[in-house]
Amino acid sequence: MKTSHFATLLFYLLTLSVPCYTDTNIQTSLQCSEADESAMEMAFQTNLRNLFDSLVSNAPLQQGFYKTRTGKKSGRVYGLIQCRGDVSADHCSNCTKNSITVALEKCPKSKEVLVWFRWCFLRYSDSDFFGVMEQTSIVLTNETDFDDPSVVSKGLDLMNGLTFSVQNQPLVFQTAELDVGPSGKRYGMVQCNRDISRSDCVKCLESQLGAFRMMVGTKRGWEIYGSSCFMWYHNYRFYFNISTIASAGVMRPSSHKGTAIGLIIAVVAFLMVL
């Protein structure tokens, strides 16, 4: 069963007992297609290994994004890796390797797999999905951590602004900071996969913010991970120092959830809009 052929609404709870205000790379979600014995055939497995090798080698060298295909006709595999815009080349490489490990362990007989980590997103399939904007998304938010009502609309405006301005960024990645006075600051970040068009990037982010607005609008922190775009919002600075990373020559910016999701993070939904 291909990802594009089904819609899933999944509710589950992720509990973290100790708040942490540094960004750490954890797996946030996983999606596997139905088991297919042909995925174990030599041709597909060889192409898959070649794909993984190529992604690991090239993603850190291509500013955190790389897509490729391996094989001919039968057994061909398409894949991409998108690292978050603020992570280093080393973090991007390690996240790619971790994602591959998860895919092989959890989805050994699947021909279409999506793995989300905080710092990167891995996807591969036996069908060509390059350049196609999809709206499969998962949202994580702390269901008990409500924000000051006077800040809510300002925070949503911040993210809405990023939704439209990110299309003008060379790496379709952008961060922003909002000073809300006595309530401190709020930090936002958005990113799109670089294989989709700039206009589809905006559509993807608009769709995410619109679909989950009621879930996240009143919260102090939340994150949305999709197949084509991503959004993060917190009351602490969760992303790395982009300018320092760039000047150090490691990569430039890079991917997923700010760390400090303490207490209870309710992963509220996994939703595909057909």
Side-chain angles (χ1 to χ4, degrees), residues 19-157:
C20 172
Y21 293 94
T22 57
D23 198 62
T24 56
N25 191 33
I26 64 169
Q27 182 189 341
T28 54
S29 192
L30 171 70
Q31 185 174 326
C32 314
S33 61
E34 291 179 340
D36 184 339
E37 291 299 328
S38 66
M40 304 306 292
E41 293 177 358
M42 183 176 295
F44 186 82
Q45 285 295 310
T46 298
N47 293 332
L48 189 59
R49 285 194 297 272
N50 291 337
L51 174 76
F52 290 156
D53 289 343
S54 184
L55 294 178
V56 170
S57 299
N58 289 285
L61 304 177
Q62 302 295 324
Q63 295 186 303
F65 175 81
Y66 188 70
K67 66 181 178 70
T68 189
R69 68 180 188 183
T70 57
K72 298 179 179 179
K73 296 182 179 179
S74 178
R76 177 175 290 172
V77 188
Y78 302 81
L80 67 74
I81 188 74
Q82 173 72 72
C83 290
R84 202 174 72 188
D86 61 310
V87 302
S88 70
D90 285 344
H91 283 161
C92 178
S93 177
N94 289 334
C95 188
T96 302
K97 293 173 184 176
N98 290 338
S99 298
I100 290 171
T101 298
V102 168
L104 292 175
E105 290 181 351
K106 303 296 184 181
C107 314
K109 295 184 178 181
S110 295
K111 283 194 167 182
E112 183 162 16
V113 177
L114 297 86
V115 183
W116 288 268
F117 269 78
R118 270 215 182 103
W119 293 350
C120 68
F121 167 63
L122 168 71
R123 180 178 183 180
Y124 63 86
S125 174
D126 61 336
S127 297
D128 186 357
F129 60 88
F130 296 155
V132 179
M133 188 270 285
E134 296 182 1
Q135 297 175 355
T136 300
S137 295
I138 179 173
V139 58
L140 284 78
T141 185
N142 188 327
E143 285 295 279
T144 65
D145 190 17
F146 292 95
D147 208 347
D148 184 331
S150 66
V151 175
V152 170
S153 62
K154 296 176 182 178
L156 289 173
D157 286 345

Side-chain angles (χ1 to χ4, degrees), residues 173-194:
F173 165 87
Q174 190 173 13
T175 64
E177 180 181 318
L178 174 68
D179 189 336
V180 289
S183 295
K185 294 183 178 181
R186 300 295 180 269
Y187 302 85
M189 180 167 70
V190 299
Q191 181 170 17
C192 292
N193 289 343
R194 300 213 301 268

Side-chain angles (χ1 to χ4, degrees), residues 6-8 133-137 207 211-212 271-274:
F6 66 92
T8 306
M133 188 270 285
E134 296 182 1
Q135 297 175 355
T136 300
S137 295
S207 176
F212 298 118
L271 173 65
M272 170 173 282
V273 181
L274 296 179

